[in-house]
Amino acid sequence: MTKKSASSVEKSPNLWIAPTKSNASLKVSVLCPTRGRPENAKRLLESVKKTHVGPVAIGFYCDVDDPRLSEYDVPHMTGPDFKFAMKCEVLVSKTDGDILMMVGDDAVFKTEGWDNALRGCQEVWPDGIWAASMWDGTRGKEIEGDDKRRKLGHPHPAVGRAWHDAVGYLAHPMFIHFCTDPWITSMAMELERIMYFPEILCDHRRAGLVK
């Protein structure tokens, strides 16, 4: 997939581009499909603004038939009600991030500097073939041994752009939301290219979940 130039992306009304707070050079693109929850999208955007320390962009995908579409007060694009993975793939085509992160609108970034942790993965694996995730505030099954892989679920995964380009997509475009995360991270675990950050919180405020 051809990468868009920085200038073309910065002019896009579909993305919020963070003002740079550090000298980090790698841009993180956060990809968020959303439907019927404009307040969640706003909350997610505000959490990114408060916690990023380097170049970050976030894009939202809204369904064209969303009954609450007019209420979205975040930069977004609209399109058909595809599966979650396909919506993320459309968002990938609109950004030039070196690192790609999939989230739902029920995510809230809590730990400052989470984006620099992802940039560190690129230093460990300069070829860009890696995946990473953060603690989502919920309990998970533990894996014996490597402390970086303590959870099996790994919600809100991030990958290097090279991962996406090698596979051809983030996750199969026909995947619904709860298939994407384990598909990505299970492959990374097989490759021994997974990094898990238990000390970084990206809160997963799933509907009906009591914490």
Side-chain angles (χ1 to χ4, degrees):
M1 183 176 294
T2 303
K3 292 179 64 176
K4 293 181 176 294
S5 68
S7 59
S8 65
V9 172
E10 287 167 0
K11 295 177 182 178
S12 171
N14 304 323
L15 296 171
W16 177 80
I17 309 295
T20 302
K21 294 183 182 178
S22 77
N23 292 325
S25 60
L26 298 178
K27 179 187 286 186
V28 179
S29 292
V30 180
L31 317 169
C32 181
T34 179
R35 180 184 176 91
R37 300 194 288 197
E39 62 282 350
N40 282 19
K42 183 68 172 179
R43 182 182 64 192
L44 171 58
L45 175 59
E46 292 302 318
S47 74
V48 171
K49 290 181 178 180
K50 292 177 181 177
T51 57
H52 81 95
V53 296
V56 171
I58 181 168
F60 294 90
Y61 183 106
C62 299
D63 298 339
V64 69
D65 64 345
D66 188 336
R68 301 186 65 186
L69 182 60
S70 63
E71 300 177 45
Y72 279 88
D73 187 26
V74 296
H76 63 273
M77 65 170 299
T78 59
D81 185 11
F82 295 133
K83 301 292 188 187
F84 182 89
M86 184 62 187
K87 294 176 183 180
C88 287
E89 198 58 35
V90 173
L91 287 168
V92 170
S93 71
K94 302 298 182 181
T95 186
D96 63 348
D98 305 286
I99 297 168
L100 307 171
M101 184 175 186
M102 305 169 69
V103 301
D105 61 16
D106 53 3
V108 180
F109 290 92
K110 291 289 190 177
T111 304
E112 184 174 3
W114 57 270
D115 50 319
N116 265 357
L118 298 181
R119 294 183 185 96
C121 295
Q122 192 68 26
E123 295 180 7
V124 175
W125 298 296
D127 60 9
I129 306 299
W130 55 267
S133 72
M134 309 160 189
W135 186 43
D136 71 340
T138 64
R139 296 181 61 183
K141 296 180 180 179
E142 293 192 354
I143 300 174
E144 294 183 2
D146 190 351
D147 185 58
K148 298 182 182 65
R149 298 185 293 175
R150 291 194 300 179
K151 288 194 70 175
L152 289 173
H154 294 294
H156 313 314
V159 301
R161 167 73 73 161
W163 172 295
H164 169 274
D165 293 347
V167 176
Y169 41 70
L170 282 174
H172 194 285
M174 293 305 295
F175 281 179
I176 57 178
H177 64 282
F178 56 76
C179 294
T180 56
D181 302 357
W183 188 79
I184 292 171
T185 52
S186 62
M187 284 200 300
M189 291 173 68
E190 288 293 326
L191 295 171
E192 298 186 349
R193 292 290 189 99
I194 183 74
M195 190 75 76
Y196 172 58
F197 298 101
E199 72 282 4
I200 298 178
L201 176 59
C202 181
D203 206 6
H204 194 186
R205 300 187 178 181
R206 288 177 287 182
L209 182 66
V210 177
K211 294 186 179 181

